Amino acid sequence: MLPYPRRAVDDGTVRAAEAADVERVCARLPEPAGPPEPPARLHGDLWNGNVLWGADGAVRLIGPAAHGGHRETDLAMPRLFGGPHLAAVLDAYHGAAPLAAGRRERAGVHQLFPLLVHAVLFGRGYAEQAVAVARAAPRR
């Protein structure tokens, strides 16, 4: 993740002190991302635009950037960018494959990478979100 806040500083999108907040979270990873678990197969870009919906609900996932990672990372993306039936989807997932307690509080940590990428690509609004997420990251 670290190249993104540094690039955002170079581009003038993020202030150096704000980047330091992000870097502090990165230095503590993986601890703030939640309890360790085996890598899961992730879609990697799971936002509403990559879900095809039909009359009966979700029909297909498209546009994957598949990789192995923490399950909460894929679930954080639709929380970040929204989508239909989000609460039902998250509840169903948790019912089928329960996540550790505190998942809602950790969602921002899992959203940090896409926020930083969007800050570099699209500007200050995403940078502000990334900094807010970094400042709110769980501390133990």
Side-chain angles (χ1 to χ4, degrees):
M1 272 194 276
L2 290 176
Y4 290 94
R6 293 172 185 159
R7 165 93 184 263
V9 168
D10 291 346
D11 292 348
T13 306
V14 171
R15 296 174 192 91
E18 294 171 328
D21 290 332
V22 172
E23 290 169 357
R24 278 191 284 280
V25 173
C26 291
R28 294 185 7 248
L29 288 172
E31 178 268 321
E37 57 180 49
R41 176 65 121 180
L42 303 183
H43 179 278
D45 192 19
L46 190 58
W47 65 287
N48 188 49
N50 282 337
V51 180
L52 297 179
W53 294 92
D56 295 332
V59 176
R60 182 171 295 151
L61 300 177
I62 61 172
H67 63 280
H70 199 288
R71 296 179 298 147
E72 292 181 30
T73 300
D74 255 0
L75 299 176
M77 285 290 288
R79 283 187 184 151
L80 178 60
F81 296 115
H85 318 293
L86 182 56
V89 168
L90 296 174
D91 288 346
Y93 186 98
H94 187 64
L99 297 164
R103 67 188 184 279
R104 287 181 182 89
E105 293 78 17
R106 291 188 300 273
V109 173
H110 292 277
Q111 294 168 342
L112 192 53
F113 178 72
L115 285 170
L116 291 168
V117 171
H118 279 69
V120 168
L121 295 174
F122 305 115
R124 182 72 189 160
Y126 288 107
E128 290 171 353
Q129 282 183 269
V131 170
V133 160
R135 290 177 176 162
R139 298 171 198 262
R140 289 190 185 176

